[in-house]
Amino acid sequence: MSTFDLSRLRAVVFDTDGVVTDTARVHAAAWKHVFDAFLRGRGAAPFNIRADYLAYVDGRPRLDGVRTFLASRGVSLPEGGPRDEPGAPTVHGLGLAKDALFQEQIDKHGVAAFPSTVALLHELRRRGARTAVVSASRHCRAVVASAGLLHLFDAVVDGNDAAGLGLPGKPDPALFLEAARRLQVSAAEVAVVEDALPGVEAGRRGGFGLIVAVDRSGSQEAAMRAAGADAVVADLADASVTGRVPVGRR
């Protein structure tokens, strides 16, 4: 069982999609719709909603995901710009199409949180640990708010912060390090919880005190450990918290 030992950790930083909220599948479905429409008639294999999402898109900033996936199919596109029409044959155009589709699905169906993650957040905070949530997505704050969880985080670092501060995306640890800075703790005192290989690698590169990987598919444990995970769980219900007396108890 993976343990958050609060005798040596002061804070926990969570990735958003697939760790806190059940939105990774919404992202994956939106990417498939956009990429398959673009690739149709080009003689390239369609987007695999599991393998390609995990390998090329998950955990990366949106435009990096476009570039990385298309490179896997031997396709390169002009960059374009943020004023491109959604769906235009540019990196920005495909990214904007995916963004619009994701937002449409969230507006229509709302956001669900993983109950085990919510329970863990309550337990960590009951014991005095600080918490933050991180995402490369500009939708992070809205998604977490829609799930009714903003009050469980002391800090939010998202794609808007990354753009404003010039922070590179994962596997660079910049987003996690910014979260630690806002929590006023050192990286060595922070646990990172991730479900994407670039995020696990970012935790390792940032020198964080504990890296817990969530492998909901059951297919990535070896790769996650190779990327730097200290522990791999199928769900955060498999994690425990020790090492600090809960607030109000002696």
Coordinates of all heavy atoms in Angstrom, one line a residue, residues 2 8 171 176 190-214 220-233:
S2 N 0.5 2.2 -0.8 CA 1.3 3.5 -0.9 C 0.9 4.3 0.3 O -0.2 4.5 0.6 CB 1.0 4.2 -2.2 OG 1.5 5.4 -2.3
R8 N 7.4 13.4 7.1 CA 8.5 14.0 6.2 C 7.9 14.8 5.0 O 8.7 15.4 4.3 CB 9.4 12.8 5.7 CG 8.7 11.8 4.7 CD 9.6 10.7 4.3 NE 9.1 9.9 3.3 CZ 9.1 10.1 2.0 NH1 9.8 11.2 1.6 NH2 8.6 9.3 1.1
P171 N 7.3 17.1 -19.7 CA 8.0 16.6 -18.5 C 8.9 17.6 -17.8 O 9.5 17.2 -16.8 CB 8.8 15.4 -19.0 CG 9.1 15.8 -20.4 CD 8.0 16.6 -20.9
F176 N 4.9 22.0 -11.3 CA 4.9 21.4 -10.0 C 5.7 22.3 -9.1 O 5.4 22.5 -7.9 CB 5.5 20.0 -10.0 CG 4.6 19.0 -10.6 CD1 5.1 18.0 -11.4 CD2 3.2 19.0 -10.3 CE1 4.2 17.0 -12.0 CE2 2.3 18.0 -10.9 CZ 2.9 17.0 -11.7
V190 N 7.3 17.6 -0.7 CA 6.1 17.5 -1.5 C 5.9 16.2 -2.2 O 6.9 15.7 -2.7 CB 6.0 18.6 -2.6 CG1 4.8 18.5 -3.4 CG2 6.1 20.0 -1.9
A191 N 4.7 15.6 -2.1 CA 4.4 14.4 -2.9 C 3.7 14.9 -4.1 O 2.8 15.8 -4.1 CB 3.5 13.5 -2.1
V192 N 4.0 14.3 -5.2 CA 3.3 14.5 -6.5 C 2.5 13.3 -6.8 O 2.9 12.2 -6.7 CB 4.3 14.8 -7.6 CG1 3.7 14.7 -9.0 CG2 5.0 16.2 -7.4
V193 N 1.2 13.5 -7.3 CA 0.3 12.4 -7.7 C 0.0 12.6 -9.1 O -0.6 13.7 -9.5 CB -0.9 12.4 -6.8 CG1 -1.8 11.1 -7.2 CG2 -0.6 12.4 -5.3
E194 N 0.3 11.7 -10.0 CA 0.2 11.8 -11.4 C -0.4 10.6 -12.1 O -0.2 9.5 -11.5 CB 1.6 12.1 -12.1 CG 1.8 13.5 -12.5 CD 1.0 14.0 -13.7 OE1 0.3 13.1 -14.3 OE2 1.1 15.2 -14.0
D195 N -0.9 10.7 -13.3 CA -1.4 9.5 -14.0 C -0.8 9.5 -15.4 O -1.1 8.6 -16.2 CB -2.9 9.5 -14.1 CG -3.5 10.5 -15.1 OD1 -2.9 11.6 -15.2 OD2 -4.5 10.2 -15.7
A196 N 0.1 10.5 -15.7 CA 0.7 10.5 -17.1 C 2.2 10.4 -17.0 O 2.8 10.9 -16.1 CB 0.3 11.8 -17.7
L197 N 2.8 9.7 -17.9 CA 4.2 9.5 -17.9 C 5.0 10.8 -17.9 O 6.0 11.0 -17.2 CB 4.6 8.6 -19.1 CG 4.2 7.2 -19.0 CD1 4.5 6.4 -20.3 CD2 4.9 6.5 -17.8
P198 N 4.6 11.8 -18.8 CA 5.3 13.1 -18.7 C 5.3 13.8 -17.3 O 6.2 14.4 -16.8 CB 4.6 14.0 -19.7 CG 4.1 13.0 -20.7 CD 3.6 11.9 -19.9
G199 N 4.1 13.6 -16.6 CA 4.0 14.1 -15.2 C 4.9 13.4 -14.2 O 5.4 14.0 -13.3
V200 N 4.9 12.1 -14.4 CA 5.8 11.3 -13.5 C 7.2 11.7 -13.7 O 8.0 11.9 -12.7 CB 5.6 9.8 -13.7 CG1 6.6 9.0 -12.9 CG2 4.2 9.3 -13.4
E201 N 7.6 11.8 -14.9 CA 9.0 12.3 -15.2 C 9.3 13.7 -14.7 O 10.4 13.9 -14.1 CB 9.3 12.2 -16.7 CG 10.7 12.6 -17.1 CD 11.0 12.6 -18.6 OE1 10.2 12.0 -19.3 OE2 12.0 13.2 -19.0
A202 N 8.3 14.5 -14.7 CA 8.4 15.9 -14.2 C 8.7 15.8 -12.7 O 9.5 16.6 -12.2 CB 7.2 16.7 -14.5
G203 N 7.9 15.0 -12.0 CA 8.1 14.8 -10.6 C 9.5 14.4 -10.2 O 10.2 14.9 -9.3
R204 N 10.1 13.4 -11.0 CA 11.4 12.9 -10.8 C 12.4 14.0 -11.0 O 13.4 14.3 -10.2 CB 11.7 11.7 -11.7 CG 13.2 11.2 -11.6 CD 13.4 10.1 -12.6 NE 13.2 10.5 -13.9 CZ 14.1 11.3 -14.6 NH1 15.2 11.7 -14.1 NH2 13.8 11.6 -15.9
R205 N 12.3 14.7 -12.1 CA 13.2 15.8 -12.5 C 13.2 17.0 -11.5 O 14.2 17.7 -11.4 CB 12.9 16.3 -13.9 CG 13.3 15.3 -15.0 CD 12.8 15.7 -16.4 NE 13.3 17.0 -16.8 CZ 13.0 17.5 -18.0 NH1 12.2 16.9 -18.8 NH2 13.5 18.7 -18.3
G206 N 12.0 17.2 -10.9 CA 11.9 18.3 -9.9 C 12.4 18.0 -8.5 O 12.5 18.8 -7.7
G207 N 12.8 16.7 -8.3 CA 13.4 16.4 -7.0 C 12.3 16.3 -5.9 O 12.6 16.6 -4.7
F208 N 11.1 15.9 -6.2 CA 10.0 15.8 -5.2 C 10.2 14.6 -4.3 O 10.8 13.6 -4.6 CB 8.7 15.8 -5.9 CG 8.4 17.2 -6.5 CD1 8.7 17.5 -7.8 CD2 7.7 18.2 -5.8 CE1 8.5 18.7 -8.4 CE2 7.5 19.4 -6.3 CZ 7.8 19.7 -7.6
G209 N 9.7 14.8 -3.1 CA 9.9 13.8 -2.0 C 9.3 12.5 -2.2 O 9.8 11.5 -1.7
L210 N 8.1 12.5 -3.0 CA 7.4 11.2 -3.2 C 6.7 11.4 -4.5 O 6.1 12.4 -4.8 CB 6.5 10.9 -2.1 CG 5.6 9.7 -2.3 CD1 6.4 8.4 -2.2 CD2 4.4 9.7 -1.3
I211 N 6.7 10.4 -5.4 CA 5.9 10.4 -6.7 C 5.0 9.2 -6.7 O 5.5 8.0 -6.7 CB 6.9 10.4 -7.9 CG1 7.9 11.6 -7.8 CG2 6.0 10.5 -9.2 CD1 9.0 11.5 -8.8
V212 N 3.7 9.4 -6.6 CA 2.8 8.4 -6.7 C 2.1 8.4 -8.0 O 1.5 9.4 -8.4 CB 1.7 8.5 -5.5 CG1 0.6 7.4 -5.7 CG2 2.4 8.4 -4.2
A213 N 2.1 7.3 -8.8 CA 1.5 7.3 -10.1 C 0.2 6.5 -10.0 O 0.1 5.4 -9.3 CB 2.5 6.6 -11.1
V214 N -0.8 7.0 -10.7 CA -2.1 6.3 -10.7 C -2.3 5.7 -12.1 O -2.3 6.4 -13.1 CB -3.3 7.3 -10.5 CG1 -4.6 6.6 -10.5 CG2 -3.1 8.0 -9.1
Q220 N 0.5 0.4 -17.3 CA 1.6 1.3 -17.4 C 2.6 1.2 -16.2 O 3.5 2.0 -16.0 CB 1.1 2.8 -17.5 CG 0.5 3.1 -18.8 CD 0.5 4.6 -19.0 OE1 -0.2 5.3 -18.3 NE2 1.3 5.1 -19.9
E221 N 2.4 0.3 -15.3 CA 3.2 0.2 -14.1 C 4.7 0.2 -14.4 O 5.4 1.0 -13.8 CB 2.8 -1.0 -13.2 CG 3.6 -1.0 -11.9 CD 3.2 -2.0 -10.9 OE1 2.2 -2.7 -11.2 OE2 3.8 -2.1 -9.9
A222 N 5.1 -0.6 -15.3 CA 6.6 -0.7 -15.5 C 7.1 0.6 -16.1 O 8.2 1.1 -15.7 CB 6.8 -1.9 -16.5
A223 N 6.3 1.2 -17.0 CA 6.8 2.4 -17.6 C 6.8 3.6 -16.6 O 7.7 4.4 -16.6 CB 5.9 2.8 -18.8
M224 N 5.8 3.6 -15.7 CA 5.7 4.6 -14.7 C 6.9 4.5 -13.7 O 7.5 5.5 -13.3 CB 4.4 4.5 -14.0 CG 3.2 5.1 -14.8 SD 1.6 4.8 -14.0 CE 0.6 6.1 -14.9
R225 N 7.2 3.3 -13.3 CA 8.3 3.1 -12.4 C 9.6 3.5 -13.1 O 10.5 4.1 -12.5 CB 8.4 1.7 -11.9 CG 7.3 1.3 -10.9 CD 7.5 0.0 -10.2 NE 6.4 -0.3 -9.3 CZ 6.2 0.2 -8.1 NH1 7.1 1.0 -7.6 NH2 5.2 -0.2 -7.3
A226 N 9.8 3.2 -14.4 CA 10.9 3.6 -15.1 C 11.1 5.1 -15.2 O 12.2 5.6 -15.3 CB 10.9 2.9 -16.5
A227 N 9.9 5.8 -15.3 CA 9.9 7.2 -15.4 C 10.2 7.9 -14.1 O 10.5 9.1 -14.1 CB 8.6 7.7 -16.0
G228 N 10.1 7.1 -13.0 CA 10.5 7.7 -11.7 C 9.5 7.6 -10.6 O 9.7 8.1 -9.5
A229 N 8.4 6.9 -10.8 CA 7.4 6.7 -9.7 C 7.9 5.9 -8.6 O 8.6 4.8 -8.8 CB 6.1 6.0 -10.3
D230 N 7.7 6.3 -7.4 CA 8.1 5.6 -6.2 C 7.0 4.5 -5.9 O 7.4 3.5 -5.3 CB 8.2 6.5 -5.0 CG 9.3 7.6 -5.2 OD1 10.4 7.2 -5.4 OD2 8.9 8.8 -5.2
A231 N 5.8 4.8 -6.2 CA 4.7 3.8 -6.0 C 3.7 4.0 -7.1 O 3.5 5.0 -7.7 CB 4.0 4.1 -4.7
V232 N 3.1 2.9 -7.5 CA 2.0 2.9 -8.5 C 0.8 2.2 -8.0 O 0.8 1.1 -7.4 CB 2.5 2.1 -9.8 CG1 1.4 2.1 -10.9 CG2 3.8 2.7 -10.4
V233 N -0.4 2.9 -8.1 CA -1.6 2.4 -7.6 C -2.7 2.4 -8.7 O -2.6 3.2 -9.6 CB -2.1 3.2 -6.4 CG1 -1.2 3.1 -5.2 CG2 -2.4 4.6 -6.7

